[in-house]
Amino acid sequence: MDIKVLTIFPEMFESPLNASILYKARQKGLLNISLINFRDYAQNKHNSVDDYPFGGGAGMVLKPEPIITALEANITMGDPDQEIILLSPQGKVYKQEHAKLLAKKSKLVFICGHYEGFDERIRAFATEEYSIGDYVLTGGELPALVMIDSIARLIPGVIKESQSFEEDSFYQGLIEYPHYTRPRDFRNIEVPEVLLSGNHEHIKQWRYKESLRRTLIRRPDLLSTYNLSEEDRNLIREIEIEEQIDG
Ligand code: SAM
């Protein structure tokens, strides 16, 4: 996958791109990331990328010319296998389902905002606008990194066993079951017996029920879009009795 990031703070990407999964994906040639400083495309004496807002008010606004010139100099517009993503708290709230869709593209472009945000006319050049949550950050660099990390994990070959992301929270629509490792007894809290049984079928059933339990307790909103089978409904009734939840 080819990723281009338009930012005025390319140094913010150095450490995250040079560690862990993102580093390995780049080393394996599965991920190619270019950082483009759109300040280099500013056509004015002071290389300024921002200006005062028309109509007055606090803060500075990112000018259209540097960003659009940088875009046009580095990408082919209108490629159907490419998504041009504007990072903005006003965008569609980013979810795992979006990561899955974006992981299928071969080219992604991220435009990181700053200051008060973008001149409105920049929006027309993006194909998607995403927010990573209902809060406001200083710039689009951290949101771009969050999205890049979550997408890179889904690119075939980046994570060794595909199972390790397919069972992750949200991938199938539920949150994940609890994990345990050694020791078997930690300060009198024991690992559930079934996990020590060696019976793979029982372990699978236990994990699925715990995944449903966690989702019901922590994120019941997810169940409204999850395709519940009759068996799932029975399990949920059992959990509601066990947890003394009014169904
Ligand atoms: N004044 C803008 C507003 O109220 O919508 C917020 C501007 S914010 C301080 C500066 C930049 O940070 C935005 O243009 C965007 O690129 C990025 N940003 C901030 N919060 C974000 C979020 N939740 N998701 C994605 N990008 C965000």
Side-chain angles (χ1 to χ4, degrees):
M1 177 183 280
D2 190 58
I3 296 183
K4 292 196 164 70
V5 185
L6 272 67
T7 168
I8 45 169
F9 294 103
E11 63 275 21
M12 285 183 74
F13 291 79
E14 267 165 36
S15 171
L17 295 186
N18 284 305
S20 188
I21 294 287
L22 290 178
Y23 175 73
K24 286 190 195 146
R26 292 173 57 231
Q27 287 298 104
K28 286 187 199 163
L30 297 168
L31 202 59
N32 179 29
I33 304 184
S34 323
L35 302 171
I36 298 157
N37 190 336
F38 56 85
R39 195 178 289 287
D40 297 341
Y41 295 83
Q43 293 144 0
N44 55 67
K45 214 169 52 192
H46 302 289
N47 284 354
S48 63
V49 291
D50 56 322
D51 210 333
Y52 294 99
F54 277 127
M60 301 296 272
V61 175
L62 284 169
K63 292 153 68 68
E65 314 90 271
I67 291 183
I68 304 310
T69 314
L71 253 191
E72 289 173 340
N74 288 283
I75 67 158
T76 309
M77 305 295 278
D79 181 342
D81 203 24
Q82 168 176 273
E83 214 66 82
I84 304 175
I85 297 160
L86 193 78
L87 295 153
S88 157
Q90 303 173 19
K92 188 189 282 182
V93 179
Y94 184 63
K95 300 255 165 73
Q96 187 71 20
E97 71 202 59
H98 303 126
K100 279 195 210 175
L101 288 174
L102 293 170
K104 295 196 174 99
K105 297 273 173 186
S106 67
K107 293 173 208 139
L108 297 179
V109 181
F110 292 90
I111 309 176
C112 306
H114 229 82
Y115 315 118
E116 271 312 304
F118 303 99
D119 179 291
E120 192 61 20
R121 292 162 292 185
I122 294 171
R123 292 203 144 83
F125 293 80
T127 56
E128 285 287 1
E129 190 167 328
Y130 282 112
S131 161
I132 61 158
D134 291 346
Y135 40 83
V136 174
L137 295 153
T138 308
E141 287 73 17
L142 294 173
L145 281 164
V146 165
M147 288 184 66
I148 292 169
D149 186 291
S150 60
I151 294 162
R153 299 169 55 73
L154 308 182
I155 298 172
V158 168
I159 285 184
K160 271 201 200 104
E161 297 160 57
S162 68
Q163 205 194 9
S164 59
F165 67 72
E166 283 164 7
E167 288 191 355
D168 273 347
S169 298
F170 311 116
Y171 194 87
Q172 313 281 2
L174 300 176
I175 54 174
E176 206 185 23
Y177 51 80
H179 294 286
Y180 294 89
T181 185
R182 275 187 279 245
R184 285 167 73 144
D185 183 329
F186 176 69
R187 299 186 183 176
N188 290 332
I189 308 169
E190 289 191 9
V191 171
E193 200 57 42
V194 61
L195 298 178
L196 311 172
S197 70
N199 185 325
H200 296 299
E201 197 44 43
H202 285 174
I203 293 172
K204 196 172 153 198
Q205 285 165 2
W206 180 85
R207 285 181 165 161
Y208 186 68
K209 185 172 174 186
E210 292 314 300
S211 187
L212 274 175
R213 186 191 307 276
R214 287 235 147 152
T215 310
L216 181 71
I217 294 171
R218 298 183 185 200
R219 290 296 304 274
D221 56 302
L222 296 176
L223 292 176
S224 62
T225 48
Y226 186 71
N227 198 2
L228 289 169
S229 65
E230 200 38 54
E231 209 177 317
D232 293 337
R233 290 181 199 283
N234 290 337
L235 280 173
I236 287 178
R237 275 190 281 274
E238 267 177 46
I239 298 165
E240 282 171 344
I241 293 166
E242 287 161 12
E243 299 291 334
Q244 299 180 340
I245 300 171
D246 288 332

